[in-house]
Amino acid sequence: MSTAATISREILKPHLKIKGGCPLKGEIKISGAKNSALVLMTAALLTEEIVKLNNVPSLTDIHGMEEILSAMGVNTSNSPNGLNLQAKLLSNSEPPYQLVNGLRASFFCIGPLLGRLGRAKIPLPGGCRIGARPVAEHIKGLKALGAVVSVEHGVVSASVLGSKKRLKGAAIILDCPSVGATETILMAAVLAEGITTIENAAQEPEVQDLAKMLNKMGACISGAGGPIITIKGVQRLHGCDYTVIPDRIEAGTYLIAAAITRSKIHISPAIPEHLNAVLQKLRDCGCVIATEMDGITINPGELTGVDITTQPFPGFPTDLQAPFMALLATTKGTSVVTEKIYENRMQHVAELQRMGASIRLQGNTAVIEGVPQLSAAPVSGGDLRSAAAMVLASLAANGTSKVEGLNHLDRGYSNLELKLNSVGSQITRRQ
Ligand code: UD1
C-alpha cells in the first residue's frame, strides 16, 4: 500500500475528537445495564411465551445477541425502549460460529438451551484482550447438573441423557465467584428436577437481576445477591414484562467524567447501592456525593489520590479500574491501583502515559503520581473500558485529543458523545 493510502486509511479510522477542558454541568441519563440485558435476553430461550424487556440499551453487543437469538429461531422485535423476544419454536440449538465469534456473552445460551431442549452446541468464547477468561466453572456446574459435556475443536457440546432430557438439581460449589458461571448454572437449574444450590456464587447486581426476572417467569430462586443461591426446579416458565436495572458501570464512568473535569453533575436513574465501593473511593478522593433513591449528585472539590484494588462485588469493580485510573492521573499525590480479576487489564497505562500521566507499572499494580495537567494526544482504547478511560482523560486534557477504539467503546456506551455533549463537553465523531 502506498504511503498516501496508508495515511488516508489512518485518517479514516473511526474516532472521536475531544476538546479538553470543557466544564460539565447538568444531568446525564443512564441506560439499562449491558451485562444484565445480555443475559436476560438469553433467558428468553427458557420459555415459549413472550419476554418483554424494557430499558435495553442500544449497543453493538445487544444487536449482536439479537442476531444470535434470531438465528436460533427466536422472534425478536423492537419496542420503544426495549425488545420483545419469543422462543416459541427453537429451530436450532447451535448458534452459528460467525455470529458467536467476538461476543463472549453468547456462551450464556448454553444454560437455557440445555434446560429447555436438553442439548446445546456452542463455540468456546475463547480469551480476549483483558485475559484468558476460562469457562471451566460453567462446565463444572453443568456436569454437576447431569449434563454430558465435551469440548472438541473449540466447540462445547452438552446434552442431557434419558427420555425426559431433564437436568437434575445438585449442590455446586464454585472455585471462584464467577458472574458468568453463576448465571449459566442459574439458567440451567431453573427447569431441572429437584433443588440446586450454588455456593460461593457471584453477588453482582446483574446476577440479582437475572434471578428476579426468572422468578417473575415462574422460577423459584432464593438467596441471589448473597454467597449461596438456592433454586427449586419447576416444570415450565412463562413470559414476563421486565425492566433492566440501570448500568452501574456506565453510571460510574459519568461520575468519573464529572470528577476528572472538576464539575458538578447529577446522574439518574442509578441505584446507589450498586456503586457503594465506587462512591466511597470518590468520596475518599475529595468528592461530595449525595444519593437519592434513583440518582446520584457528584460535586468534586480539591482531589487527592486513593488506592484501589479490584474485587468481586461488593468490592471495587474491575470494569471501572481503567476509568478511575484516568482520574487518579490528575489527582494530587500518589495512588496505587491493583487489578485482581484479570491478568491483562492495564493496556490503558501506556496510552495515559502518552497523555503525560506519570504511572509506573509493575505486573498488575500501577503506581500513579498525579500531574497538574494531562495533554491531548492521539490515543486508542484497546478494550471497552480502556477506551472509556481514554475519553475521560481527553475531557481533562489540554487541547484536542483523537480517541480511536470506537468498536470497543460502542459495545458498552450508548450515545456516549450525545450524553456528554448534553452536559457541556465538545466531542465529535468521525466515522
Ligand atoms: C462478567 C462481566 C464483565 C466483568 C466480569 C467481572 C458480563 C457479560 N461480563 O464477565 O464485564 O468484568 O463479570 O466482574 O457480565 N474465572 C475462572 N474460571 C471460570 C470463570 C471465570 O477462573 O470458569 C475467572 C476469570 O478468569 C476472571 C474471574 O473469574 O479472572 C471473573 O470472571 P467472571 O466473573 O466469570 O467474568 P465474566 O462473567 O466473564
Side-chain angles (χ1 to χ4, degrees):
M1 201 186 289
S2 71
T3 315
T6 313
I7 291 169
S8 82
R9 224 189 58 157
E10 282 301 309
I11 291 168
L12 286 176
K13 257 193 184 173
H15 61 270
L16 298 176
K17 285 263 184 214
I18 303 180
K19 181 166 179 244
C22 302
L24 309 182
K25 188 179 174 203
E27 160 135 11
I28 297 184
K29 287 274 166 234
I30 303 303
S31 300
K34 167 180 83 83
N35 288 349
S36 255
L38 285 170
V39 72
L40 297 181
M41 287 170 76
T42 65
L45 291 166
L46 285 161
T47 175
E48 292 179 6
E49 296 180 15
I50 297 178
V51 171
K52 185 172 182 308
L53 281 180
N54 311 305
N55 201 28
V56 178
S58 177
L59 299 168
T60 52
D61 268 11
I62 297 288
H63 305 317
M65 184 63 90
E66 239 183 297
E67 275 191 69
I68 289 168
L69 293 175
S70 296
M72 289 193 286
V74 179
N75 233 319
T76 70
S77 63
N78 293 322
S79 65
N81 185 27
L83 278 176
N84 295 329
L85 304 154
Q86 186 171 22
K88 196 172 174 65
L89 291 174
L90 283 176
S91 52
N92 187 356
S93 59
E94 299 177 28
Y97 177 75
Q98 59 282 18
L99 294 180
V100 166
N101 186 27
L103 180 57
R104 279 190 56 79
S106 56
F107 197 71
F108 285 139
C109 295
I110 199 166
L113 284 176
L114 261 185
R116 169 97 179 268
L117 302 177
R119 62 177 193 280
K121 216 169 175 181
I122 319 251
L124 269 175
C128 70
R129 284 161 180 266
I130 59 176
R133 307 188 77 175
V135 287
E137 293 295 300
H138 306 230
I139 291 175
K140 186 181 87 180
L142 296 176
K143 282 184 173 168
L145 293 171
V148 177
V149 186
S150 63
V151 185
E152 269 171 48
H153 308 299
V155 177
V156 181
S157 302
S159 57
V160 191
L161 302 180
S163 54
K164 287 196 286 183
K165 295 206 173 309
R166 199 168 172 207
L167 293 165
K168 276 207 167 58
I172 298 164
I173 305 174
L174 294 179
D175 286 344
C176 62
S178 157
V179 177
T182 304
E183 292 169 338
T184 291
I185 297 166
L186 256 180
M187 290 192 284
V190 280
L191 291 178
E193 196 178 339
I195 293 176
T196 298
T197 52
I198 312 174
E199 270 186 61
N200 197 22
Q203 302 177 35
E204 268 69 0
E206 294 76 19
V207 173
Q208 300 176 39
D209 211 27
L210 173 63
K212 209 167 149 194
M213 184 175 101
L214 290 171
N215 280 343
K216 214 169 171 196
M217 293 168 75
C220 189
I221 302 167
S222 58
I228 303 177
I229 302 178
T230 304
I231 306 127
K232 198 168 152 214
V234 296
Q235 287 283 351
R236 63 180 293 278
L237 295 181
H238 50 75
C240 72
D241 186 328
Y242 192 78
T243 300
V244 179
I245 52 169
D247 195 310
R248 64 195 167 101
I249 306 302
E250 189 199 20
T253 303
Y254 291 130
L255 290 174
I256 298 167
I260 204 167
T261 54
R262 311 301 192 259
S263 306
K264 179 180 174 182
I265 67 162
H266 181 255
I267 60 162
S268 79
I271 302 173
E273 299 80 65
H274 291 175
L275 281 153
N276 273 341
V278 179
L279 297 182
Q280 190 52 52
K281 288 297 173 187
L282 286 167
R283 287 188 175 108
D284 293 348
C285 272
C287 297
V288 177
I289 307 273
T291 61
E292 304 134 36
M293 209 157 72
D294 71 344
I296 302 169
T297 304
I298 178 167
N299 193 2
E302 174 105 354
L303 301 189
T304 51
V306 292
D307 295 344
I308 282 173
T309 300
T310 60
Q311 299 286 356
F313 190 83
F316 191 95
T318 172
D319 288 349
L320 284 174
Q321 181 259 108
F324 214 101
M325 196 187 296
L327 170 63
L328 296 176
T330 71
T331 55
K332 210 169 166 196
T334 308
S335 305
V336 180
V337 172
T338 308
E339 173 56 50
K340 289 272 196 185
I341 307 291
Y342 293 114
E343 62 273 24
N344 189 26
R345 202 168 212 185
M346 287 287 179
Q347 295 170 63
H348 44 288
V349 169
E351 296 298 285
L352 288 171
Q353 285 166 335
R354 299 182 63 234
M355 299 181 79
S358 169
I359 306 175
R360 263 182 301 121
L361 188 59
Q362 271 195 327
N364 272 336
T365 299
V367 180
I368 304 132
E369 302 290 342
V371 294
Q373 181 68 63
L374 293 174
S375 53
V379 285
S380 182
D383 61 74
L384 168 56
R385 307 302 169 184
S386 289
M390 291 310 115
V391 170
L392 297 174
S394 304
L395 292 175
N398 198 357
T400 299
S401 298
K402 177 182 167 194
V403 178
E404 287 180 356
L406 304 193
N407 54 327
H408 299 298
L409 197 67
D410 294 342
R411 288 185 41 227
Y413 294 91
S414 168
N415 295 321
L416 174 125
E417 63 267 32
L418 281 180
K419 290 186 183 191
L420 283 171
N421 287 348
S422 76
V423 293
S425 70
Q426 290 189 34
I427 306 177
T428 49
R429 178 180 287 249
R430 306 279 161 84
Q431 284 294 6

